[in-house]
Amino acid sequence: MSRRALTLLLAGILVLALGVVGAFRPVPYVVLSPGPTENTIGEVDKKPVISIKGRETFPTSGALSLVTVAYQGGPAAQIDLLTALRGWIDPTVAVVPQETIFAPDRNPKEVEEENMVEMTDSQDSATAAALNELKIHYDVVVTVVSTEKGKPADGKLQKGDEINAVDGKPAKNVDVVGDTVKAHKPGDNVVFNVTRGKEKLDVTVQTVAGPKGQTQVGVLMQAKYKFPFEVDINVGDVGGPSAGLMFSLGIFDKLTPGELTGGKQIAGTGTMEPGGKVGPIGGIPQKMVGAKDSGATVFLTPADNCAEAMKAVPDGLRLVKADTLHNAVLALDALRTGKGNVPACEAG
């Protein structure tokens, strides 16, 4: 073998070795793929996903399935370049920068805990929305979660305080309290009427200017709902708020005579506000693939996700636009009966 040929051979081996080593080096990306689906009117581990006690329920059929996105990677378990390359080739998955899922100032455990809190809040909001749709009364209590150290509320408002009113205005929800505070100028006094234990108190707190120029007092609040009967939702370790719409529909279906699905396999996604508004979510292409793989033929799609969904909808999956819980119920009624309008997604 000539010296030139030997040099080229050695160089080729070196390049190949470097390529192999490079392929297995960690990269700051996350692979998103279709996750599991759960039928909200079905069971998980032989337990109902939605259990209702203290109120009459009715038989259901078919499926109202929530869909999820699974991820691979993250700061604690970064994927290698080869895995990222496979993901870029696979049309059913997405490869995104790590910081879009894990903010630099949060570790994976914090992200997981935040997702679980969001799921709990989502379940409460979904229950509230379903009861609103059914005209069933419930009470909302705005509760102090914590106060910010050094801010005016610190030492005045306490964790667990139930806020009844602000400046005499009933505290119907967290937004009412926040908006009332923001309507003041920095330096003004705000009067909180709270229940602390068994005692009702008026607590005066002076406002200050926040970092974005909004008036604040430095209090973190949470709406706690007092429903007239027990609604328990069991989905294991699924996190995040995007199952709200399907939770609401599952609760609605169980509390009303007749079968909302007409026996069809229906999946969907979307956040849910207590007032019934459906909000957009992420990972819509992967969620549609998961829905189709689970046997769904209809996919309830948040209105704000319709344009994106139209570009990646799997064959055989019908997209139905859902902007509110009320309209989603009407759409399912129309699908079941063949009468009425079924709003479709349109390409943007």
Side-chain angles (χ1 to χ4, degrees), residues 98-323:
Q98 181 176 283
E99 61 267 20
T100 62
I101 307 296
F102 300 93
D105 59 343
R106 292 185 299 166
N107 60 46
K109 184 178 180 181
E110 289 173 331
V111 172
E112 184 177 341
E113 289 175 348
E114 182 177 306
N115 283 339
M116 296 312 295
V117 170
E118 287 182 339
M119 175 58 85
T120 300
D121 289 344
S122 171
Q123 294 171 5
D124 287 342
S125 294
T127 303
L131 268 58
N132 283 333
E133 181 68 17
L134 293 165
K135 304 294 190 292
I136 298 173
H137 177 76
Y138 60 88
D139 294 318
V140 180
V141 178
V142 178
T143 305
V144 174
V145 176
S146 63
T147 56
E148 190 175 346
K149 191 172 182 180
K151 290 295 175 67
D154 186 27
K156 292 194 172 183
L157 294 174
Q158 297 180 9
K159 180 179 179 179
D161 282 352
E162 295 182 355
I163 301 175
N164 306 312
V166 185
D167 290 341
K169 184 183 296 184
K172 295 182 179 179
N173 53 52
V174 171
D175 289 340
V176 168
V177 178
D179 290 344
T180 303
V181 172
K182 291 173 186 175
H184 284 272
K185 295 179 181 178
D188 287 351
N189 287 331
V190 180
V191 180
F192 292 83
N193 180 265
V194 304
T195 299
R196 183 176 298 164
K198 296 182 179 180
E199 188 178 8
K200 284 194 175 184
L201 305 168
D202 282 331
V203 180
T204 301
V205 183
Q206 191 176 61
T207 61
V208 293
K212 296 182 180 180
Q214 292 182 327
T215 305
Q216 62 175 225
V217 295
V219 60
L220 177 63
M221 301 168 290
Q222 182 182 46
K224 291 192 175 181
Y225 298 92
K226 293 185 177 180
F227 300 121
F229 48 86
E230 182 180 343
V231 178
D232 183 58
I233 299 177
N234 164 45
V235 285
D237 58 358
V238 174
S242 65
L245 170 61
M246 304 314 292
F247 286 146
S248 288
L249 289 171
I251 294 166
F252 181 93
D253 196 12
K254 283 178 170 271
L255 289 174
T256 52
E259 299 171 344
L260 189 60
T261 67
K264 290 184 172 64
Q265 299 292 308
I266 294 166
T269 188
T271 62
M272 177 57 65
E273 296 181 7
K277 182 179 179 181
V278 178
I281 50 79
I284 194 80
Q286 290 72 46
K287 289 179 176 178
M288 290 190 297
V289 171
K292 180 68 186 302
D293 289 347
S294 73
T297 56
V298 174
F299 189 79
L300 296 171
T301 311
D304 290 340
N305 288 117
C306 270
E308 180 187 5
M310 288 290 291
K311 297 175 183 177
V313 57
D315 291 339
L317 191 65
R318 181 179 182 177
L319 300 185
V320 174
K321 181 172 68 174
D323 55 356

Side-chain angles (χ1 to χ4, degrees), residues 39-42 60-65 253 259 261-266:
N39 180 10
T40 62
I41 52 176
T60 60
S61 69
L64 289 167
S65 296
D253 196 12
E259 299 171 344
T261 67
K264 290 184 172 64
Q265 299 292 308
I266 294 166

